[in-house]
Amino acid sequence: MTPSETDSGTSSAKRSRSGSPDPLASTAGTALPYATRTALHLKGLVPSGVEDFGMQEQRALEQLNMKSTNMEKYMFLSWLRTTNLNLFYRLVLHNLKQIAPVIYTPTVGQACQEYSHIYPFLAPPNAVDGLYIPLTEVDNIAEIIENYRESIAEGDEPEITVITDGSRILGLGDLGMNGMGIPVGKLQLYVAAAGLNPDRCLPIVLDFGTNTERYLEDPLYLGIRQHRPADTEFYEAANKVIDALHKAFPNMFIQFEDFSTDHAFGLLDHWRRRTLCFNDDIQGTGCVVLGGFISAVQQAGIPPTSQRILFVGAGSAGVGVAKQLVDYFVIEHEMPEDEAKAIFWFVDSRGMITADRGDKLADHKVYFARHDNNGVQCKTLEDTVEYVKPTALIGLSTIHKAFDEKILKRMNEINRDSRPIIFPLSNPETKAECSFEEAMRCTDNRVLFASGTAFPEYTIPETGEERVPGQGNNMYVFPAIGLGAVLCKPQWITDTMIYAVAKALANSRNSEEIERNELYPRIERIREVSASLAAAFIRQAVREGLAQDSEYRDLVARDGECQGSAPDGCHGELVLDAVKKRMWHPAENFEQLRECCPHHHHHPKVASSSAEGSQHGL
């Protein structure tokens, strides 16, 4: 055993993610005080300057801004995350608007496409950053889980996982093992937006093959080289993995991500009452769109129940969104479900979805198939717009420019006495149905707009007024749902819990955002918003009798008492306060870091030398 291993009390298998012999030293870096450097035998091995974390952050931002492409920025940030987690999240949280599009959409799409080519350069060789579970090793899942346990610090068992099989990544299709970039990116947003503990986040890719020939033929592809299994084999293998994960980590929240449409619905239907799980494509997308839609309906100028909503794209995301919107009309406006459902029309690759179209509809499309078309069949989006005369056009088609100038101008004409709602939600930007500028130009700047990807602000030429596009980014809701689930531990997640989050999102806009007719709160306020949404989720879980954590059941009850009788010192926000206290934050200085760094704040030599250093201002 080496001296550093003896001092730290850790084995080489339990070293930091960066592979440094001392996690405290590697994380503090140039901020490590002189006295602590002496205790850790680092004197003379690093530059003599001692900085604060702010200076480290300034240097990192300088390096980030020097990168000429988003892919270079992505790789730089990935390396930083796996070598200095604290600095990475300080940088992200203080520059979220700039960095979110780099660590997630749209840049993560390109990163996934090139993942096998860039993988060795995203982290040090011995960094463990998730599980790669090949179809050929599913029977050894217990060994894989045990290997993961050995790679993490004691007490850092995962409380949340994002799991994909890479079969339908964003709008890019079947990327196989390369889809690992999505769980990694999603979990970064869980931490940044909602304060989940980064040491307890587990990204997983089910490497079940790929049907994309260019990857199977690519000599640098790192996944297994076989086509995807038939449904029976897929479900048998996937369920075996999920069952093993649930048994190993029974309190872990599972987020399914970017599975093919049929498998997305199949896994969610099978597991949603068996374990604590959630599908972001089905439930999260619906939730965030509903939040923006509620805001849009308030500004549209016609009664909500007079809306005529046309969806373009009928995959898992499209149908999931529409079902969430149906809940809005049923719950908020007390419409019978059949009447609420009748507000919706769908277009897929064959045209308007009707029960008598002549083809066999996929199971998930049947619910919204029209029976009142009297034999009318619309083969194109343009024909369907003329037939339906929609007030709202929602795109989840992954067809770039599907909302062309003609469609947008026609929406403007149809809704001359109100404001048209245009939501091009497909990701990444190369799949978006239209841009914010196009929507503004073609609707005389009247559009109520939300997109799935980020678009720049638009300046109205005639007035010079700047308008901010709404972004229906799932980042507003899935981190809050995950945080709420981790905290109150519901037996399972209901549609009404998701609805409570969507309603809270619409209500989370501040007075300035409402005055500017924005549909979503500013992304810079994401942590504040996430806390409010997580509190709304917890309250709903308690109301439904599904929350298993007694602390949060008690807090909800006390909040209710406060609102009823308002005793002294009671403000009715105990749940919100508790959520905020639970959110993880990166350390602001060395002393905070020393207290939270595993193994080291209990080490007497490090603790005493750090105290000595702090007394001398080091």
Side-chain angles (χ1 to χ4, degrees):
M1 184 173 286
T2 67
S4 62
E5 287 171 343
T6 304
D7 285 348
S8 67
T10 63
S11 68
S12 59
K14 300 256 182 172
R15 290 176 179 178
S16 72
R17 296 180 180 189
S18 67
S20 163
D22 192 278
L24 180 64
S26 64
T27 302
T30 54
L32 200 66
Y34 288 119
T36 308
R37 295 180 188 190
T38 300
L40 297 176
H41 310 295
L42 294 175
K43 187 183 293 184
L45 303 183
V46 293
S48 60
V50 177
E51 303 177 307
D52 61 26
F53 286 176
M55 291 299 297
Q56 293 181 337
E57 194 178 327
Q58 180 180 331
R59 182 183 293 107
L61 186 60
E62 176 187 76
Q63 289 299 308
L64 179 68
N65 290 334
M66 288 173 64
K67 308 302 178 186
S68 58
T69 69
N70 278 343
M71 270 301 292
E72 289 176 324
K73 293 178 180 180
Y74 179 91
M75 294 175 71
F76 169 78
L77 289 169
S78 179
W79 188 275
L80 180 62
R81 181 177 58 83
T82 52
T83 54
N84 194 327
L85 200 66
N86 194 72
L87 177 56
F88 170 79
Y89 280 111
R90 283 179 56 86
L91 194 67
V92 171
L93 285 171
H94 294 153
N95 304 274
L96 186 60
K97 189 173 183 180
Q98 174 187 350
I99 291 178
V102 178
I103 61 175
Y104 203 62
T105 58
T107 309
V108 73
Q110 182 184 355
C112 285
Q113 290 174 306
E114 302 178 19
Y115 197 79
S116 287
H117 292 249
I118 65 175
Y119 170 77
F121 314 110
L122 300 177
N126 61 340
V128 176
D129 198 28
L131 294 182
Y132 298 80
I133 304 175
L135 184 63
T136 51
E137 295 287 348
V138 165
D139 287 339
N140 297 318
I141 185 61
E143 179 186 355
I144 291 171
I145 291 173
E146 185 57 32
N147 289 343
Y148 181 74
R149 285 186 189 276
E150 291 177 1
S151 75
I152 60 178
E154 186 177 349
D156 279 348
E157 288 199 350
E159 60 187 4
I160 183 169
T161 182
V162 176
I163 183 168
T164 187
D165 70 344
S167 57
R168 193 186 58 83
I169 296 297
L170 301 174
L172 302 171
D174 181 356
L175 305 189
M177 185 284 306
N178 292 329
M180 182 56 148
I182 295 295
V184 170
K186 282 277 184 175
L187 286 166
Q188 290 173 49
L189 297 184
Y190 266 112
V191 177
L196 274 294
N197 186 332
D199 289 321
R200 303 189 69 183
C201 293
L202 174 58
I204 298 176
V205 62
L206 301 179
D207 182 10
F208 283 10
T210 178
N211 292 335
T212 303
E213 294 299 327
R214 73 175 182 275
Y215 292 131
L216 295 176
E217 296 169 2
D218 182 355
L220 296 182
Y221 179 62
L222 290 170
I224 61 172
R225 295 176 185 274
Q226 63 183 60
H227 289 106
R228 291 190 174 276
D231 283 356
T232 301
E233 185 181 0
F234 167 83
Y235 282 116
E236 181 181 353
N239 289 337
K240 188 176 289 186
V241 170
I242 296 163
D243 184 57
L245 288 168
H246 180 56
K247 287 177 179 174
F249 311 116
N251 293 320
M252 183 170 68
F253 172 75
I254 298 172
Q255 177 178 313
F256 298 114
E257 183 72 25
D258 284 358
F259 285 84
S260 65
T261 297
D262 289 345
H263 291 167
F265 280 102
L267 288 172
L268 183 62
D269 288 345
H270 179 78
W271 285 102
R272 68 180 304 176
R273 287 179 178 263
R274 289 178 167 89
T275 186
L276 187 57
C277 67
F278 165 80
N279 184 296
D280 190 40
D281 303 299
I282 298 170
Q283 299 163 289
T285 303
C287 182
V288 75
V289 175
L290 175 55
F293 185 79
I294 292 172
S295 300
V297 165
Q298 293 169 355
Q299 303 174 44
I302 61 173
T305 54
S306 297
Q307 291 284 339
R308 299 167 67 84
I309 305 166
L310 177 58
F311 273 77
V312 183
S316 60
V319 172
V321 167
K323 286 186 174 180
Q324 290 282 353
L325 297 189
V326 169
D327 288 344
Y328 163 70
F329 290 104
V330 170
I331 296 171
E332 204 68 22
H333 299 284
E334 300 181 341
M335 294 179 69
E337 183 178 348
D338 285 346
E339 289 183 23
K341 186 174 66 171
I343 290 174
F344 295 82
W345 285 259
F346 270 83
V347 169
D348 64 9
S349 60
R350 293 175 176 266
M352 185 171 71
I353 296 178
T354 63
D356 59 352
R357 193 168 67 175
D359 60 322
K360 179 174 173 50
L361 297 176
D363 289 345
H364 68 278
K365 297 181 183 182
V366 172
Y367 179 83
F368 285 106
R370 302 298 301 198
H371 293 264
D372 58 354
N373 55 306
N374 298 317
V376 174
Q377 307 298 337
C378 300
K379 299 298 183 184
T380 67
L381 173 57
E382 187 177 340
D383 290 344
T384 309
V385 167
E386 284 301 321
Y387 177 76
V388 174
K389 293 185 171 49
T391 58
L393 191 59
I394 298 178
L396 283 154
S397 67
T398 71
I399 300 173
H400 191 45
K401 306 293 187 185
F403 301 168
D404 59 21
E405 184 173 339
K406 188 172 184 179
I407 294 290
L408 292 170
K409 286 187 173 181
R410 186 64 183 127
M411 284 292 295
N412 193 42
E413 292 168 358
I414 291 168
N415 297 282
R416 178 55 62 190
D417 296 328
S418 59
R419 296 181 66 184
I421 297 171
I422 309 288
F423 282 16
L425 298 173
S426 292
N427 268 317
E429 185 178 343
T430 55
K431 303 288 184 178
E433 288 81 5
C434 70
S435 69
F436 182 48
E437 179 182 353
E438 290 163 346
M440 287 288 285
R441 215 170 9 87
C442 293
T443 62
D444 301 323
N445 308 315
R446 301 185 314 112
V447 68
L448 294 163
F449 179 95
S451 58
T453 192
F455 283 108
E457 296 181 3
Y458 176 72
T459 302
I460 299 174
E462 294 80 7
T463 65
E465 181 185 355
E466 281 194 349
R467 293 283 183 85
V468 178
Q471 186 184 0
N473 192 326
N474 291 26
M475 179 180 175
Y476 280 115
V477 296
F478 72 77
I481 291 169
L483 177 62
V486 165
L487 295 182
C488 76
K489 299 177 178 59
Q491 296 172 38
W492 62 290
I493 293 176
T494 65
D495 291 340
T496 39
M497 292 176 202
I498 304 297
Y499 178 81
V501 171
K503 189 172 180 180
L505 175 60
N507 292 333
S508 68
R509 294 171 299 152
N510 60 28
S511 57
E512 180 184 352
E513 290 156 352
I514 293 171
E515 186 177 338
R516 290 171 60 92
N517 296 319
E518 296 177 16
L519 302 188
Y520 291 100
R522 296 292 178 94
I523 201 72
E524 293 88 346
R525 295 201 301 115
I526 189 65
R527 280 216 161 191
E528 173 191 342
V529 171
S530 291
S532 296
L533 270 56
F537 176 95
I538 290 169
R539 293 187 194 103
Q540 184 64 28
V542 171
R543 279 194 289 267
E544 295 180 30
L546 293 173
Q548 299 179 89
D549 189 289
S550 58
E551 175 189 355
Y552 287 93
R553 293 200 303 265
D554 178 60
L555 289 174
V556 170
R558 290 168 61 193
D559 268 347
E561 292 170 2
C562 288
Q563 292 165 356
S565 57
D568 291 342
C570 188
H571 52 79
E573 293 190 347
L574 297 176
V575 175
L576 180 60
D577 291 345
V579 168
K580 288 179 178 178
K581 288 177 183 176
R582 173 61 168 75
M583 295 169 79
W584 179 90
H585 295 270
E588 293 293 328
N589 52 55
F590 176 74
E591 286 303 311
Q592 284 186 11
L593 181 69
R594 183 175 61 83
E595 288 303 313
C596 69
C597 192
H599 309 298
H600 295 275
H601 59 284
H602 299 299
H603 189 272
K605 185 185 290 186
V606 173
S608 61
S609 62
S610 299
E612 178 187 346
S614 63
Q615 289 169 5
H616 290 81
L618 298 176

